[in-house]
Amino acid sequence: MKRINQLALSSLAALTMLGGFGAATASAKTTSYSHYVLWNKPTAKKYAVHYKNNKSVLLNHPYKTAKKVKKVHNMNNYKHTTFYTYRHMEVKGGTIYYYVKAHVNAKSISGWVNKKNVRFGKINKAKVTATTSTQTTTTTPTSSSTPTSSSSSDNNSSTPAASNISTATTPGSSSSSSSTPTTPVTPTDPATIAKSQAEKDFAAGKDYNANYSSDSAAQVAYAQAYYAAKGKVVDAAIKQAQTDYQNGKSYNPNYSNNSVGQTVYAQTYYGAKGGDLDNDFITDRAQTQAAQDFAAGKAYDPDYSTNTVAQVAYAEAYYNAKGKVIDDATTQAQTDYQNGKGYNPNYSNDTLGQTVYAQTYYDAKGTNLDNTFITNKAQAQATKDFAAGKAYNPDYSTNTVAQVAYAKAYYDAKGKVVDKQQSSVKAPTTTPAKTPASTSSSTKTANASASK
């Protein structure tokens, strides 16, 4: 297999470090100036990097690692400068920063830059103005050095370079000018040639040629084209490997015929797989520790681990255990009180469970006691209001229990009076019915005595 490119190597280093969360956490100590740093180490070797995009800025400290983080340099001002990595750091969230340095005009340029915002590989120092002037000077000799450009022969007037001089130097006839479009045009711009060559070299699996040309503009064009082609292959391989792993597909040993693409694909796929395995181990260990801490009556430990995965797993397990104890104690206390059972002082050996049980039980009991007092008070007031001839008061209380008790007592009292009134109305209707009978009997007695 051909030599693995520098970008692939850097990806492998990063994946190795990220994949071994447990190892990284154990071996790398958080620096004293911030608890956001997971690890901070020198790079295994100095990698060459250069400007990538508008986010390529150098900071005095990586984000979150210090109170005052500011931009010290913009890599946009050093597009044609090669920087070298000296240290690398991972902060919470998984972001990796490189500490890079370069010397420009005897001046040291350094700072921390996000790994995602740099390209890997060397790049020759060259200015944009130099590139423009080089292209101009190289075009003119090409046309003037054409052996036949000064010739008066009509047959030589079709030379492509001759058109770059002037129309006056081409005496030609109409027949010669009509044949010009059919002449194949060979690119003479060094940058165009360099770009084409770089793409061919990468496609053929050749290593980057740092000595491609002594012309700085041509070398820059070659470098940009070579690493652009390599970057596309690397990005595509990373994306495909992540997609395959996330979708549960097996590792594809035939993903690419390109050695760089296959290597990066393999590193990314197995890096993701290894990361998940490490995370599973870390999660299980954190959950076990949390359960043990809670069972022993220990308080929640917010500093259990500097590893985010471990800390989250620990927190979830601890509070899940705590929540279960609280829920169980609350349910049992409510059930005991509602069923008329006495308070159980031996409900649980767990301090938290016994405390929650006691609070819930006596809260339920206290609420019922309060309701009894409120009910009695409302009933007495309703009876008093009705006896005094007052109308029913719908705004007696904002307390629902009190208002219901008042209404019930008031209308119960009113109902009793109505019942009595109805009973008193029925009595007169029966009395007159008896009167005629008594009258007739007395009349009969009088008549009888009279007859005697």
Side-chain angles (χ1 to χ4, degrees), residues 181-396:
T182 60
T183 305
V185 178
T186 303
T188 57
D189 179 18
T192 304
I193 297 173
K195 179 181 179 181
S196 176
Q197 186 61 47
E199 292 172 348
K200 290 178 181 178
D201 287 354
F202 179 76
K206 294 182 179 180
D207 294 331
Y208 169 74
N209 185 0
N211 300 315
Y212 164 72
S213 175
S214 59
D215 186 318
S216 60
Q219 187 66 47
V220 168
Y222 179 90
Q224 290 175 338
Y226 187 92
Y227 284 111
K230 182 180 267 188
K232 289 180 180 179
V233 170
V234 170
D235 290 343
I238 291 174
K239 184 176 181 180
Q240 188 61 50
Q242 291 173 339
T243 301
D244 287 354
Y245 180 74
Q246 291 169 0
N247 292 339
K249 293 184 179 180
S250 301
Y251 168 73
N252 183 5
N254 300 317
Y255 160 71
S256 175
N257 293 326
N258 184 285
S259 60
V260 173
Q262 189 64 45
T263 300
V264 173
Y265 176 89
Q267 291 167 350
T268 305
Y269 187 92
Y270 286 110
K273 187 173 184 179
D276 279 352
L277 293 174
D278 288 340
N279 285 346
D280 288 343
F281 172 76
I282 291 170
T283 299
D284 291 343
R285 185 170 60 178
Q287 290 173 341
T288 301
Q289 186 62 50
Q292 291 174 351
D293 287 355
F294 181 77
K298 294 182 179 179
Y300 168 74
D301 184 6
D303 299 319
Y304 163 71
S305 175
T306 56
N307 183 289
T308 305
V309 174
Q311 189 64 47
V312 169
Y314 177 90
E316 288 178 348
Y318 187 93
Y319 284 111
N320 282 341
K322 188 173 185 178
K324 187 176 187 307
V325 168
I326 292 173
D327 290 344
D328 291 346
T330 301
T331 302
Q332 189 61 50
Q334 291 173 340
T335 302
D336 287 354
Y337 181 76
Q338 290 168 0
N339 293 338
K341 294 183 179 179
Y343 168 73
N344 182 5
N346 300 317
Y347 161 70
S348 175
N349 293 326
D350 183 85
T351 304
L352 176 63
Q354 189 64 46
T355 301
V356 173
Y357 176 88
Q359 290 174 343
T360 305
Y361 188 92
Y362 284 112
D363 281 347
K365 188 173 184 179
T367 300
N368 281 344
L369 291 175
D370 289 342
N371 287 344
T372 301
F373 172 77
I374 291 171
T375 300
N376 292 338
K377 185 178 177 182
Q379 288 173 342
Q381 186 63 46
T383 305
K384 187 186 295 185
D385 287 354
F386 182 76
K390 293 182 179 180
Y392 168 73
N393 183 7
D395 300 319
Y396 163 70

Side-chain angles (χ1 to χ4, degrees), residues 34-322:
S34 172
H35 65 281
Y36 284 102
V37 180
L38 300 182
W39 49 260
N40 182 354
K41 301 177 182 178
T43 51
K45 72 174 187 176
K46 294 179 182 178
Y47 293 107
V49 297
H50 57 276
Y51 170 81
K52 180 179 181 181
N53 53 41
N54 291 334
K55 294 182 180 180
S56 302
V57 295
L58 300 184
L59 308 173
N60 59 339
H61 298 289
Y63 282 116
K64 294 185 178 181
T65 62
K67 291 183 178 180
K68 295 182 179 180
V69 176
K70 61 180 181 179
K71 180 174 69 175
V72 291
H73 295 289
N74 191 337
M75 292 182 72
N76 186 42
N77 298 327
Y78 307 95
K79 286 185 178 180
H80 305 291
T81 300
T82 299
F83 289 81
Y84 290 91
T85 62
Y86 286 80
R87 297 190 69 81
H88 54 166
M89 175 190 299
E90 182 182 358
V91 299
K92 282 189 176 180
T95 304
I96 294 179
Y97 289 87
Y98 283 122
Y99 180 75
V100 300
K101 188 185 297 184
H103 292 280
V104 180
N105 298 328
K107 180 181 177 182
S108 179
I109 307 297
S110 62
W112 292 89
V113 61
N114 190 321
K115 177 190 171 184
K116 297 179 180 178
N117 297 330
V118 295
R119 289 189 183 279
F120 289 82
K122 294 181 180 179
I123 187 168
N124 285 358
K125 297 179 181 180
K127 297 181 180 179
V128 177
T129 54
T131 304
T132 305
S133 61
T134 304
Q135 292 174 350
T136 304
T137 54
T138 53
T139 302
T140 304
T142 303
S143 58
S144 61
S145 62
T146 305
T148 58
S149 61
S150 60
S151 172
S152 59
S153 172
D154 293 344
N155 294 331
N156 292 330
S157 61
S158 61
T159 305
S163 61
N164 294 331
I165 304 174
S166 66
T167 54
T169 57
T170 310
S173 62
S174 57
S175 60
S176 62
S177 61
S178 62
S179 62
T180 301
T182 60
T183 305
V185 178
T186 303
T188 57
D189 179 18
T192 304
I193 297 173
K195 179 181 179 181
S196 176
Q197 186 61 47
E199 292 172 348
K200 290 178 181 178
D201 287 354
F202 179 76
K206 294 182 179 180
D207 294 331
Y208 169 74
N209 185 0
N211 300 315
Y212 164 72
S213 175
S214 59
D215 186 318
S216 60
Q219 187 66 47
V220 168
Y222 179 90
Q224 290 175 338
Y226 187 92
Y227 284 111
K230 182 180 267 188
K232 289 180 180 179
V233 170
V234 170
D235 290 343
I238 291 174
K239 184 176 181 180
Q240 188 61 50
Q242 291 173 339
T243 301
D244 287 354
Y245 180 74
Q246 291 169 0
N247 292 339
K249 293 184 179 180
S250 301
Y251 168 73
N252 183 5
N254 300 317
Y255 160 71
S256 175
N257 293 326
N258 184 285
S259 60
V260 173
Q262 189 64 45
T263 300
V264 173
Y265 176 89
Q267 291 167 350
T268 305
Y269 187 92
Y270 286 110
K273 187 173 184 179
D276 279 352
L277 293 174
D278 288 340
N279 285 346
D280 288 343
F281 172 76
I282 291 170
T283 299
D284 291 343
R285 185 170 60 178
Q287 290 173 341
T288 301
Q289 186 62 50
Q292 291 174 351
D293 287 355
F294 181 77
K298 294 182 179 179
Y300 168 74
D301 184 6
D303 299 319
Y304 163 71
S305 175
T306 56
N307 183 289
T308 305
V309 174
Q311 189 64 47
V312 169
Y314 177 90
E316 288 178 348
Y318 187 93
Y319 284 111
N320 282 341
K322 188 173 185 178

